Each structure stands twice: as structure tokens, then as C-alpha cells.
Amino acid sequence: MFQALLFYAFSGLLLAAALGVIFSRNPVHAIMFLVAAFFQSAVLWLLAEAEFLAIILVLVYVGAVMVLFLFVVMMLDINVEQARSGLSRYAPLGLIITGLMIVELIQVIRFRSEGQVLQGFAVNPENYNNTEALGAVLYTEHVYAFEIASVILLLAIVAAITLTMRKRPGLKVQDIAMQVAVDPKDRVRIIKMESES
């Protein structure tokens, strides 16, 4: 009963955060709601005993991708003074959300330390390691899909770098071939001073 209550409470918060992403007019608020949604998803993964996926969700999406999203949004033309004026107004809401996340983590840790299992999920043996099981499946049965995903991510990185390398007027760039092919006689001039007698 208690585990089902936790599951429905976290799922409701996840849905509320997702709706906040959709209906927020301020892009910074939408990103903060998305961070909350990722955090709720990670808590649900923890309840389902998928610790590796929960940690990856927090580290990769919340720690890296959302920071990049936030940088992109901050580089847009947003009225900073208006955003700063609303900071003190939304501070209590931020503290409430932070407190909710802390309470959720405490509940999940207590729930897992008591050895309880969510209804509908299989009971794992005592020496079960989620990360080891995931790695065994990923690098044996799905190794080709894993390699294809790696190549696609590499192509995305190269494409992002290529798109951001724009030629601006007045930009000085090095031409390595011209620098290597330079004749020292054309560049260096030795001036001999005549000594006064």
C-alpha cells in the first residue's frame, strides 16, 4: 500500500512537471520544470530497482543536457531585469520543490533499505547487480545497436561543430599550408650596420 502510494505520488509530480514544461511562457521556467520531470523519472527508476538508469538520467540529462539548454535559452534575447525581479517572488516555490525532492529521496532510500518491492515488479536475488546485468546485455546481445548509437552521437557532435563554425567578416584565420611554404628570404631581412671609424 505504501509503495503504491509513493509510486502514484511521484508519477503525479512527474505529470505536473511535464505540464509545466508545456504551458510555461518563460523558457527558463520550462527548463526548470523539465529538470524536475527528469528528477521524478529518476526516482521512479529507483523504485523499479534500475539504479544505473536513474543515475544516468540525473548525470547526463540533468547535469549536462539541461545545462546546455539553459545556456542556449540564456543566450536568447530575454529581459534580464524582468527575470531578476521575479527571482524573489518565485523563491518560496523553488524552496518547496527542493524540499519535495529531498523528501522523495529520503522515502526512496528508506523504502529500498527495508527491502520492499513495488507490486508488479520481479524480486531480484540478493547478489543482483543492475549495472552488471545491463552491461552484460548491452555488450553481447545489443552490441551493434550500441555501436550505431555511438556513431550517430559522434556525427551529431561533428555536425554541431560544423554548424557553429561560421565565417565572419574581418575574422583572421591561419593558413597552415601557406605558413609552412614560406621562404625565409622573403620574410627575414638582415640589416648590417656600418661601424663608424
Side-chain angles (χ1 to χ4, degrees):
M1 177 63 184
F2 179 67
Q3 58 266 30
L5 186 64
L6 280 180
F7 178 79
Y8 288 122
F10 297 156
S11 300
L13 288 171
L14 173 61
L15 289 175
L19 290 174
V21 173
I22 295 170
F23 293 112
S24 281
R25 295 187 179 184
N26 190 331
V28 177
H29 295 167
I31 287 181
M32 291 299 127
F33 277 120
L34 193 55
V35 168
F38 284 147
F39 190 83
Q40 302 303 323
S41 302
V43 170
L44 290 176
W45 280 118
L46 278 176
L47 285 175
E49 296 187 0
E51 301 89 3
F52 181 78
L53 295 177
I55 292 171
I56 289 298
L57 187 64
V58 171
L59 290 179
V60 174
Y61 284 96
V62 177
V65 176
M66 294 313 303
V67 172
L68 292 177
F69 281 1
L70 197 57
F71 282 157
V72 170
V73 167
M74 291 307 221
M75 284 191 294
L76 298 175
D77 190 16
I78 297 175
N79 191 350
V80 178
E81 293 300 325
Q82 183 180 359
R84 285 182 181 172
S85 65
L87 184 64
S88 60
R89 186 175 51 172
Y90 291 112
L93 179 62
L95 291 174
I96 291 171
I97 292 175
T98 304
L100 260 172
M101 290 182 176
I102 292 172
V103 168
E104 287 177 6
L105 280 177
I106 291 172
Q107 292 295 330
V108 168
I109 291 170
R110 186 174 69 83
F111 177 70
R112 293 295 305 278
S113 64
E114 293 174 357
Q116 300 182 27
V117 181
L118 277 177
Q119 294 176 352
F121 291 96
V123 179
N124 294 323
E126 190 67 29
N127 58 354
Y128 177 77
N129 189 342
N130 180 260
T131 308
E132 182 182 352
L134 184 65
V137 172
L138 190 63
Y139 292 110
T140 54
E141 298 177 19
H142 305 288
V143 66
Y144 294 119
F146 181 75
E147 294 296 330
I148 290 171
S150 303
V151 171
I152 290 172
L153 287 174
L154 178 64
L155 288 175
I157 292 171
V158 172
I161 294 171
T162 306
L163 288 174
T164 55
M165 290 182 64
R166 294 184 295 246
K167 291 186 177 179
R168 296 185 291 275
L171 183 67
K172 294 182 179 179
V173 294
Q174 288 183 323
D175 190 352
I176 307 298
M178 283 183 62
Q179 289 177 350
V180 172
V182 164
D183 189 3
K185 296 176 183 176
D186 298 335
R187 298 290 177 169
V188 179
R189 186 172 55 173
I190 300 174
I191 301 174
K192 293 184 179 178
M193 302 291 293
E194 295 182 3
S195 62
E196 296 180 0
S197 55

